[in-house]
Amino acid sequence: MFTFLHKYGSPQHFYRLSRGLAPWFGGASALLFAAGLYGALLLSPPDYQQGEGVRIIYVHVPSAWMSLMVYVIMAAAGGVGLIWKVKVADAFARASAPLGAAFTFLALATGSLWGKPMWGTWWVWDARLTSELILLFLYLGYMALQTAIEDRRTAARAGAVLALVGLVNIPIIHFSVLWWSTLHQGPTLRPFAPPAIHMSMLVPLMVMAVAFMLYFAAVVLVRTRNELLELERNSNWARELAAEEAAR
Amino acid sequence: MNPRRRRIVIAVAVMLIGVGTAAALALRAFQENLLYFYSPTLVAAGEAPANRKFRIGGLVVPGSVMRNPDTLAVSFALTDTLHQVRVNYEGILPDLFREGQGIVANGELLADGTFGATEVLAKHDENYMPPEVADALKAAGSSLDYSKFKHQQ
């Protein structure tokens, strides 16, 4: 594990790898967004109860999934950085946080816009909504910690501990609608059960979910690369790279 | 694995287990407060708080909705298929309010056993389908399905 991480986890290697990968992820994401939005807004039918209002799920649900996924990835990267002292993992965790916060905000905002006409209220303090709001605060706390501590190593360590402690919130968000009575409805997609959503709506939803994932992959690679350049600005490979770019 | 890394791995593992246990215990202790609403069965069993506002959730019993034609007053029965509670409300109902629909009402239990609501919210379920499919299902004769309306005892 150690040798693997240090071979492929060197900033220089990661920089070159991510520079090659990011445009592919970005391009695939743009294509899937175009297809997904076309399916979501034009091809898919209105809901039998919510009418056209149901279309907000094509943004709300993928961003809510991403808010959880990005947090787990961020905490895992933080943990790898903490244990194996991998600079790339630290940079990756740091680069993920604002993206995760943006997905969380998008999930909360779209949910609120949907809640007013459907439920009759913008916001309720049920277990699902409250735990998702706590997730937003965890992201913001992580970002504040990164800005407040000037030394990158210390900031990464403190951030990793916060992210790992906050990991406890993730199963709480996921299972909140099953453990307690909430205003938020239960899960539509469950393991070992047929989906409670019609195929004509499930397909665009899944396309949008994959588009969101690829978007995250593309942007987090660019952001991580940026973090690495800043971190390694005095190293030989960064200087060589700068000279290379300048010569072009 | 060198001693420093082993120490950190153990520290992280202990931290995760510790935080997880603490959260589980705290959530168990506050179980009751985390319920967003009480079911009619809990209310019938006297487990709902007396003399203070709480929320009640259930399905609107088909045929139980009575409206006052001159005011916004409306009265309906909520059920969890075991017990029923009659709810009185005066105000605007959400768009999704209809018979057979999941509803959460905020208010107080009155002396006559009815529930005086100050707020009525629609609880949407997790089913999404086009209107034609819903019509086909209805034609096939689906009845009140409380299992779709999540609640815990």
Side-chain angles (χ1 to χ4, degrees), chain A residues 102-170:
Chain A
F103 287 130
T104 313
F105 178 79
L106 199 58
L108 288 169
T110 51
S112 180
L113 288 174
W114 178 91
K116 184 60 185 172
M118 299 303 165
W119 291 343
T121 179
W122 297 106
W123 182 263
V124 290
W125 293 101
D126 81 351
R128 172 55 74 81
L129 277 66
T130 310
S131 54
E132 182 77 7
L133 185 65
I134 291 171
L135 182 70
L136 180 64
F137 292 154
L138 281 170
Y139 277 122
L140 296 180
Y142 180 93
M143 286 156 65
L145 209 53
Q146 297 302 305
T147 332
I149 304 175
E150 220 158 286
D151 176 55
R152 287 291 183 101
R153 270 303 304 165
T154 320
R157 271 208 301 267
V161 171
L162 173 69
L164 287 168
V165 169
L167 211 48
V168 73
N169 193 32
I170 299 298

Side-chain angles (χ1 to χ4, degrees), chain B residues 15-83:
Chain B
M15 185 177 78
L16 287 181
I17 294 167
V19 171
T21 314
L25 290 175
L27 292 176
R28 277 197 77 79
F30 293 115
Q31 183 79 10
E32 188 123 316
N33 301 317
L34 289 168
L35 292 184
Y36 189 67
F37 55 81
Y38 292 83
S39 65
T41 299
L42 284 178
V43 173
E47 286 184 40
N51 306 322
R52 94 175 154 78
K53 287 181 88 171
F54 68 95
R55 293 184 205 86
I56 185 169
L59 300 175
V60 178
V61 179
S64 73
V65 181
M66 294 184 289
R67 291 173 199 268
N68 183 328
D70 301 323
T71 66
L72 287 173
V74 60
S75 164
F76 52 89
L78 278 186
T79 183
D80 57 2
T81 67
L82 290 175
H83 290 87

Side-chain angles (χ1 to χ4, degrees), chain B residues 4 8 13 25 36 40 51 66 72 74 88 96 112-113 145-146:
Chain B
R4 189 199 75 91
I8 299 179
L25 290 175
Y36 189 67
N51 306 322
M66 294 184 289
L72 287 173
V74 60
N88 296 302
L96 285 184
D112 61 355
D145 185 2
Y146 191 77

